[in-house]
Amino acid sequence: MATEGSAGSSNKITMEDQTQKEPQAASTHASGPSVSDHCTTDQPISSAQASSGELSELGDVDVYITKPNDYPHSPSKLLLFLTNGTGIHSLNNQLQADNYAKEGFLVVMPDMFAGDPAPKSNTVEPTPDEEQSSIIEQFKLHAAETAKSFLLDMWLARHTPEKVMPRVQKVLESMKEEFADAVANGGGVYAVGYCFGGKYVLELGQETQNTINTDEEQGTVNTGPAIKVGAIAHGTLVTLEDVIGVKVPISMVCVGE
């Protein structure tokens, strides 16, 4: 991840994603924000590859942490990595986090799903034989796709922003305290989000309005944004309001169907 300047306030992050180049697949709904099959399915990788970080806990939330080899002897920047639906135990996600560590980032990847990653969603592409298969076989395929969509909808209902964001914020506050040197060196916290995680990078880049109601003072106060700069790749469940509210430089890698 590298920072580059452009006109106005449009400093942005550019990402070379070597592990998770994923096209947008069919959505779970006919319209509106959606989650693609690739958000819940890891791409095949070599069994010889192994991650170099460690599983730990910050703010009572499980996390995967990976650091540059020369940290803390050399300064680093703090990066919050928000995953797709496969979560922190995905080797793909761990390897991608390790790639950022090799570039000098101290990476914290929280378990946004409290041990409940998305159900696997392997899309079955029809072969020529299947296209000419019997009505029964076609019915079975359609039933499998329907069941997969139902499981994904149920999973999404368990992991709404009201449940996910508090987990992310707990980790964010704890990592800022734990790695204060990296925060100071980078001038704040950097964030990257893939698929499901993209929406929450946008939310962290917004100001939040808090109500004050005390004997001395009443009203509202704006706080945040919680990150210095962010980047998202093929974000899902993202709404127009998510984008409009962003107050920090954001790089967005978007793909069509």
Side-chain angles (χ1 to χ4, degrees), residues 164-209:
V164 173
M165 184 54 80
R167 299 168 192 154
V168 173
Q169 289 173 330
K170 283 182 180 180
V171 171
L172 182 60
E173 292 306 313
S174 295
M175 63 190 265
K176 286 165 60 178
E177 181 178 344
E178 180 75 14
F179 304 111
D181 59 324
V183 177
N185 181 64
V189 177
Y190 297 69
V192 60
Y194 291 90
C195 290
F196 188 97
K199 178 182 181 70
Y200 295 92
V201 169
L202 295 177
E203 291 198 11
L204 291 172
Q206 300 176 14
E207 292 181 340
T208 57
Q209 194 173 72

Side-chain angles (χ1 to χ4, degrees), residues 51-255:
S51 57
S52 58
E54 62 180 5
L55 292 170
S56 184
E57 189 177 279
L58 285 174
D60 296 323
V61 177
D62 291 337
V63 295
Y64 176 81
I65 300 175
T66 180
K67 307 171 184 177
N69 290 333
D70 54 359
Y71 179 82
H73 304 293
S74 296
S76 181
K77 296 177 181 178
L78 188 58
L79 176 66
L80 177 68
F81 185 128
L82 302 182
T83 69
N84 62 9
T86 57
I88 67 171
H89 295 285
S90 157
L91 180 58
N92 293 59
N93 292 336
Q94 293 179 359
L95 291 174
Q96 183 58 61
D98 292 345
N99 285 341
Y100 286 119
K102 293 175 183 177
E103 297 299 322
F105 288 92
L106 194 163
V107 186
V108 176
M109 185 167 67
D111 179 8
M112 297 187 292
F113 315 118
D116 178 35
K120 295 193 181 301
S121 181
N122 296 309
T123 303
V124 180
E125 297 293 341
T127 65
D129 289 339
E130 288 172 328
E131 290 174 352
Q132 301 175 12
S133 63
S134 67
I135 294 177
I136 293 178
E137 291 301 317
Q138 293 181 30
F139 175 80
K140 289 180 179 178
L141 180 61
H142 178 70
E145 291 293 323
T146 301
K148 176 182 66 179
S149 178
F150 174 76
L151 289 174
L152 184 54
D153 285 345
M154 293 294 290
W155 178 78
L156 288 172
R158 294 195 299 273
H159 299 293
T160 60
E162 292 76 17
K163 295 180 180 179
V164 173
M165 184 54 80
R167 299 168 192 154
V168 173
Q169 289 173 330
K170 283 182 180 180
V171 171
L172 182 60
E173 292 306 313
S174 295
M175 63 190 265
K176 286 165 60 178
E177 181 178 344
E178 180 75 14
F179 304 111
D181 59 324
V183 177
N185 181 64
V189 177
Y190 297 69
V192 60
Y194 291 90
C195 290
F196 188 97
K199 178 182 181 70
Y200 295 92
V201 169
L202 295 177
E203 291 198 11
L204 291 172
Q206 300 176 14
E207 292 181 340
T208 57
Q209 194 173 72
N210 300 307
T211 301
I212 299 176
N213 188 10
T214 66
D215 293 338
E216 295 79 18
E217 187 178 2
Q218 291 185 346
T220 59
V221 60
N222 291 333
T223 60
I227 58 174
K228 177 181 180 178
V229 65
I232 70 172
H234 41 84
T236 54
L237 301 174
V238 173
T239 66
L240 181 60
E241 288 73 18
D242 293 330
V243 178
I244 292 175
V246 172
K247 302 296 184 181
V248 300
I250 294 282
S251 174
M252 302 176 67
V253 179
C254 307
V255 294

Side-chain angles (χ1 to χ4, degrees), residues 3 40 194:
T3 304
T40 59
Y194 291 90

